[in-house]
Amino acid sequence: MGRMPDDSFTTRILHIETGSAESVRDLTGDCEQFLREAAAGGDGLLNIFVPHATAGIAIIETGAGSDEDLLAALHGLLPADDRWQHRHGSPGHGRDHVLPAFVAPHATLPVIGGRLELGTWQSVCLVDTNIDNANRQVRLSFLG
């Protein structure tokens, strides 16, 4: 974790193993743990950023099928076939490079009293359709 002298900015990198299958990985607990230390009960903003060209951050419901529905919708929009100009990697990998145009590689969320202000059913999720890269980084940054 790095801090600026005035303690108004704190950042941490999460190292996430996504495996060899497409995934929607819930990061809400990781974000909350980071904020317990970084926000110390204060107000501010949490930025979540994925420094990868083939992954994104989504704020969605998980556990009730929405995560699987998101992957299914992405399959419909971005099929893993040979239509893509970007052709290295596994078949259809070019679509993974288009993913961040649909699922942005970042999100900024309000933090009030040291806690994420998410809706009842909202979770912070890493969306990764790239089966060629199982090692991901996610940068959490708190500005308070």
Side-chain angles (χ1 to χ4, degrees):
M1 217 169 14
R3 287 188 180 253
M4 293 178 58
D6 64 1
D7 290 341
S8 64
F9 179 80
T10 305
T11 190
R12 173 180 297 157
I13 294 177
L14 303 175
H15 296 276
I16 308 292
E17 292 284 330
T18 56
S20 60
E22 298 176 2
S23 65
V24 175
R25 170 86 179 266
D26 190 339
L27 302 177
T28 309
D30 297 297
C31 292
E32 290 170 342
Q33 179 180 342
F34 169 69
L35 289 172
R36 280 193 288 279
E37 300 167 25
D43 298 346
L45 295 172
L46 174 66
N47 181 263
I48 305 105
F49 175 69
V50 181
H52 299 285
T54 59
I57 298 294
I59 310 301
I60 63 168
E61 179 180 8
T62 59
S66 296
D67 36 357
E68 295 299 324
D69 289 342
L70 174 58
L71 290 176
L74 290 171
H75 274 272
L77 288 170
L78 307 170
D81 57 23
D82 65 357
R83 73 183 70 202
W84 308 102
Q85 298 297 313
H86 189 111
R87 292 185 184 264
H88 75 84
S90 60
H93 175 65
R95 62 118 183 197
D96 299 326
H97 287 273
V98 178
L99 173 77
F102 293 90
V103 181
H106 60 86
T108 300
L109 303 171
V111 176
I112 307 297
R115 300 190 55 123
L116 276 177
E117 283 294 300
L118 291 171
T120 302
W121 304 112
Q122 291 179 315
S123 296
V124 178
C125 297
L126 171 65
V127 179
D128 187 3
T129 59
N130 182 358
I131 62 172
D132 295 332
N133 186 353
N135 300 306
R136 297 303 189 159
Q137 294 180 4
V138 178
R139 179 174 291 279
L140 304 178
S141 299
F142 175 72
L143 178 61

